[in-house]
Amino acid sequence: MNLRAYGRFFVVIGQFLPLIVAYLRDRRRFLLFGGSRQVTGAMRRERARTLLDTLLTLGPTFIKLGQILSTRPDVLPPEYVAEFSKLQDEVPPADWSEAEPVIEDELGAPEDAFDSFDTDAISGASLGQVYRAELDGEDVAVKVRRPGIEELVEADLKVIKWSLPVIIRFIGEARSFSLETLADEFDTTIHQEINYAREARMLDEIKGNFEADPTIRIPSVVESHSTPRVLTMEYVGGTKITAIDELDAMGIDRTGLAERLERIYLQMIIQDGVFHADPHPGNLSVKPDGTLVFYDFGMSGRVEGYVQDKIVEFYIGIANQDIDAILDALVEMGTLSPEADRETMGNVMELAIQDVRGEEVDQYRIQEVVGQVEDTIYEFPLRLPANLALVLRVATVVEGVCVTLDPNFDFISVATDYLVEEGYREEGIKQFLESRGEEVQDLAQAAVRTPPKLERTLDSLNQGNLSVHADLDDTDGLFESLANRLIFGALLTAGVISTAMLYSFATTGATVVAAAFSVGVALFLIRSFRSGRSGTRATPEFTRQGLSQQRPTEAEGTGGIEAMADTSEESEPVGAPTGDPEGEIETD
């Protein structure tokens, strides 16, 4: 294992070397010397495309890593998130001769375990591939773990952990923390995804939550033919959810379908606490009667009760357009730093709400907010706890699917109606009134306590006994920088005067030494004025859907914001359900 990991390490470094050199040149234009260089939005987009190709070349583990990174704008700039959001499991299936031993080890010979077995895979993905078979007269889909994937994943995980110290040198402290957390999260996630026993449990649990809803179809697991390496499920066909022409031909109400899809995911996240986390179009299809079919539960997650409550508060804040409530919910979920510039983030939220509601957004207003964000947000980046990263992915991808079904779809309006119908919004208003009542009580008590304290303070002032203590928090090192400049300035002045005097009254050697000293001090003084952050600078996104059509044209050299790629235009994975009524099953 270690030998394979060492070999993979050099392969990975070789693939990443051009990007590493590019990032080094951002800091020093000529690697060992020279100033930093400006990184434009166009340069970041080109690098993101290059990195995407690198991940595809490195294979299954790194494809999965890219998919996870596409949910983490707290780790990567939006240009990279946009490119990685296009990643799907477009991996050709392994040869049957390699996959057959996996089935034999788990279930016995395929011809004995099934009535019939089609050895041509109907879908191939990074971690597994799907075959169609027949069992007890029923069509089934058999998902088989890719041969040798366990060893490759373990080797690549070691490489990723070895590479972290190098990568961290190119990013800020806050993003270093996010990246280290992401590495641990990825380790856990990929081990969960290659364990088909877990996928079967999650599938059964989510299926049970919608058992009474005839408009939703989730394939049943055939437990007798399922193991941690092989998952056999009921075969359910359908028309891909973004096949608009086919849906229209079937007479499907696309607006109603989009609303139903959003409500299903709101129920999963807010009420059930367990959800299907990979809702891209390849994993969703529609039956002729309008029934929604869900595939591939390898990527699924859970939401704790506390986080569910905060998500509800977040949506209620959006419904009420209460910016303070939105920011409070983000802080309490751990998504936004408590020290963030609330005015700037409030402006961002206002634009995001306008965008999602489909309202016209003033171009000058966008430019103004973009400038504010670029000046402040890097210091207070968004942080996504692991359980919220999947929730974010679900929200943005579902929004993209809904907008594809109905370009005028109002995501917020549907969420608001859902909260009202389920009683969440009324409960939120009740809690708001209760908290306001507590504030009134506190204010009344303070009104009684304040006059005596004020009188004592005024007496102390009158007697000359009042003293004020102030602690200045110099987190940016401003005072230290000013002190250094004063010292360098004084030394430079002394050096120049000494050089002049020695030039007039002393030897040439002493004069040269004094002059060299003065030049050195001058260089340090100049450097103190030029020092600042360099390298690749991340800028945040406003929304993942729609703002890209409304933002102003980015000028080269400004490092402006690149909005998220439209998820409805993602390239489809091999074996995704098509317009054929039979459909196909998308793998994990």
Side-chain angles (χ1 to χ4, degrees), residues 351 361-371 542 547 550-552:
L351 278 184
V361 183
D362 182 73
Q363 294 297 316
Y364 176 77
R365 173 71 170 155
I366 292 179
Q367 290 174 324
E368 180 183 31
V369 174
V370 167
F542 291 152
L547 190 57
Q550 298 175 341
R551 75 179 191 279

Side-chain angles (χ1 to χ4, degrees), residues 44-302:
R44 283 195 294 271
R45 286 192 292 274
E46 180 61 31
R47 290 177 183 180
R49 286 190 286 268
T50 300
L51 185 53
L52 178 64
D53 291 340
T54 299
L55 296 179
L56 290 170
T57 300
L58 289 172
T61 310
F62 287 89
I63 291 175
K64 276 295 170 188
L65 178 60
Q67 291 173 344
I68 296 294
L69 286 169
S70 72
T71 70
R72 302 301 297 262
D74 59 321
V75 175
L76 290 180
E79 292 87 355
Y80 290 79
V81 175
E83 284 298 319
F84 290 173
S85 67
K86 302 173 183 177
L87 263 179
Q88 299 300 337
D89 289 334
E90 300 176 5
V91 181
D95 292 336
W96 169 246
S97 60
E98 299 177 27
E100 184 178 14
V102 177
I103 299 178
E104 290 179 343
D105 290 344
E106 300 295 313
L107 304 175
E111 58 270 18
D112 296 333
F114 299 90
D115 298 341
S116 64
F117 197 100
D118 186 352
T119 58
D120 292 328
I122 60 175
S123 179
S126 59
L127 303 180
Q129 50 204 52
V130 176
Y131 297 89
R132 190 168 178 177
E134 187 174 329
L135 179 65
D136 298 331
E138 300 289 338
D139 286 337
V140 294
V142 184
K143 187 174 180 180
V144 182
R145 188 187 295 175
R146 183 173 284 271
I149 192 65
E150 300 96 329
E151 293 78 8
L152 179 61
V153 165
E154 294 301 331
D156 284 343
L157 287 174
K158 288 183 180 294
V159 171
I160 290 170
K161 290 179 179 178
W162 292 342
S163 304
L164 268 182
V166 178
I167 298 173
I168 286 174
R169 293 180 61 87
F170 300 101
I171 58 180
E173 181 179 348
R175 297 186 192 278
S176 296
F177 175 77
S178 295
L179 195 60
E180 290 173 325
T181 304
L182 175 66
D184 294 334
E185 173 196 339
F186 178 62
D187 191 322
T188 301
T189 300
I190 199 166
H191 279 108
Q192 289 177 343
E193 288 197 44
I194 63 177
N195 182 358
Y196 291 165
R198 177 189 180 274
E199 179 176 347
R201 291 194 300 271
M202 299 293 279
L203 188 155
D204 282 338
E205 185 174 352
I206 296 173
K207 181 179 176 67
N209 292 334
F210 291 94
E211 200 69 53
D213 190 341
T215 66
I216 301 170
R217 183 74 179 275
I218 296 174
S220 300
V221 175
V222 181
E223 294 184 4
S224 61
H225 287 64
S226 297
T227 73
R229 300 174 69 197
V230 176
L231 178 60
T232 303
M233 299 167 286
E234 171 190 15
Y235 185 90
V236 181
T239 300
K240 189 169 67 175
I241 195 168
T242 52
I244 303 301
D245 293 339
E246 288 85 346
L247 294 179
D248 289 341
M250 292 161 55
I252 300 296
D253 176 8
R254 289 191 278 116
T255 301
L257 182 64
E259 181 176 337
R260 187 148 46 94
L261 178 65
E262 181 181 347
R263 285 174 171 269
I264 288 171
Y265 274 98
L266 286 171
Q267 178 184 327
M268 288 183 188
I269 293 170
I270 294 175
Q271 289 185 255
D272 301 336
V274 57
F275 61 98
H276 175 259
D278 197 14
H280 71 75
N283 286 338
L284 300 169
S285 68
V286 185
K287 303 285 285 183
D289 61 357
T291 300
L292 261 171
V293 184
F294 291 77
Y295 306 112
D296 189 0
F297 289 78
M299 188 178 291
S300 51
R302 296 186 181 277

Side-chain angles (χ1 to χ4, degrees), residues 5-17 54 57-58 159:
Y6 292 140
R8 284 288 289 178
F9 178 77
F10 288 108
V11 171
V12 171
I13 291 299
Q15 288 289 331
F16 281 102
L17 187 59
T54 299
T57 300
L58 289 172
V159 171

